[in-house]
Amino acid sequence: MIEFSNFSCSFNNREILKNINLKIKDHLVILGSNGSGKSTLVKSVCKLVKYEGNILLDGKNTETYEQKELAKKVVYIPTKLEIADEFISVEEFVLLGRFAHKRSFFDYTKEDRLLVEKNLEFLKLSHLKKHSVKSLSSGEQQLIQIAQALTQQSKTIIFDEPTANLDPRNTMLIASHIRELKNSHNILVITHDLEFASSLGIDVAFIKNASVRLYNEQIDFKEMVNEYD
């Protein structure tokens, strides 16, 4: 469970989120217009932004987690893959998901590499494992980010606009994988795509005017359009 208590966040003297009190038991889609604070809210769970208030993850304040310990609990998948090494292969990139588990000054284990193979096979990416990450399409890059997240074995996976750069076919593919992952992980998804959001069948939070409103999965997404006004 993730619990926000008296959570507030500002940027350049602009209040983005104010006094948020929110409990996320398992799965949640987060909607809202550009600049409403969707990414800010979820990035704060991974200590990627500064904020005021408290965030509890499994009953423990996230500020007290060591970074590797936190990485074993939650993983954040950005909208677009950014890589520093343009020559890194798919296999090497996915293996980085084991960094939080790796002993300092030791190489990755055989078990680590077998887990990479398993997740590449699960996502039907095995044929790409020796390809450079830079050579992949947007859809393939999104999939290898999921593979890396699964290899990290974090219980909670945060998807930040996972279909923003994808065509309809890859959008459907990503949606299918996320629905399947609901059986084994806690899923948080940020999106602007109402059709994609409705296909996931999970509760919804809408961020507007620095506050959060919760809806259950039975929400009428056609009516949700009015919330963007």
Side-chain angles (χ1 to χ4, degrees):
M1 176 184 286
I2 301 173
E3 183 176 355
F4 296 84
S5 177
N6 300 318
F7 177 91
S8 298
C9 187
S10 300
F11 183 72
N12 287 340
N13 296 320
R14 183 174 74 87
E15 192 172 60
I16 300 175
L17 296 166
K18 181 180 180 180
N19 294 331
I20 302 298
N21 293 287
L22 174 67
K23 291 183 180 180
I24 305 174
K25 184 177 180 181
D26 42 35
H27 314 303
L28 189 68
V29 170
I30 302 175
L31 301 171
S33 58
N34 289 334
S36 61
K38 302 184 301 298
S39 294
T40 298
L41 185 70
V42 298
K43 283 182 177 180
S44 65
V45 179
C46 303
K47 301 202 292 189
L48 297 176
V49 297
K50 293 182 179 180
Y51 60 88
E52 296 178 355
N54 295 291
I55 304 173
L56 301 182
L57 178 61
D58 294 337
K60 179 179 177 180
N61 195 307
T62 54
E63 290 299 324
T64 66
Y65 279 94
E66 295 292 336
Q67 201 61 46
K68 278 193 171 183
E69 182 187 11
L70 184 61
K72 293 175 183 178
K73 292 279 189 177
V74 59
V75 58
Y76 170 79
I77 301 178
T79 305
K80 184 178 180 181
L81 176 62
E82 301 289 348
I83 54 172
D85 182 358
E86 62 180 278
F87 300 107
I88 191 171
S89 71
V90 168
E91 186 175 38
E92 292 167 333
F93 176 81
V94 176
L95 186 59
L96 291 174
R98 297 304 297 163
F99 183 78
H101 302 267
K102 188 171 78 71
R103 295 171 62 192
S104 299
F105 309 111
F106 283 79
D107 196 4
Y108 293 101
T109 67
K110 180 180 179 181
E111 289 73 21
D112 291 333
R113 297 178 188 278
L114 287 174
L115 186 58
V116 169
E117 293 283 348
K118 174 185 175 182
N119 289 323
L120 288 175
E121 183 177 351
F122 168 67
L123 293 167
K124 298 180 172 57
L125 297 171
S126 297
H127 63 293
L128 296 174
K129 68 179 182 179
K130 298 300 182 183
H131 290 225
S132 72
V133 169
K134 189 177 179 180
S135 71
L136 304 183
S137 68
S138 296
E140 290 167 341
Q141 288 186 353
Q142 190 64 39
L143 286 171
I144 68 166
Q145 289 195 100
I146 296 175
Q148 187 188 78
L150 293 177
T151 301
Q152 190 167 312
Q153 293 186 310
S154 310
K155 180 63 176 177
T156 298
I157 303 179
I158 299 172
F159 295 86
D160 195 343
E161 305 246 15
T163 62
N165 303 306
L166 304 186
D167 58 30
R169 178 183 176 278
N170 279 307
T171 295
M172 291 176 62
L173 179 61
I174 294 298
S176 175
H177 283 307
I178 291 176
R179 285 194 296 270
E180 186 169 358
L181 290 174
K182 285 163 51 182
N183 297 319
S184 55
H185 295 75
N186 296 329
I187 303 296
L188 274 65
V189 181
I190 291 173
T191 184
H192 286 291
D193 187 335
L194 298 183
E195 184 175 354
F196 167 63
S198 65
S199 75
L200 300 178
I202 59 182
D203 290 349
V204 174
F206 193 91
I207 299 180
K208 185 177 181 180
N209 298 329
S211 62
V212 178
R213 184 185 302 176
L214 281 175
Y215 303 84
N216 64 35
E217 70 275 11
Q218 303 301 321
I219 183 174
D220 186 337
F221 280 84
K222 292 182 180 179
E223 292 185 5
M224 176 61 76
V225 175
N226 297 325
E227 294 285 355
Y228 282 85
D229 294 337

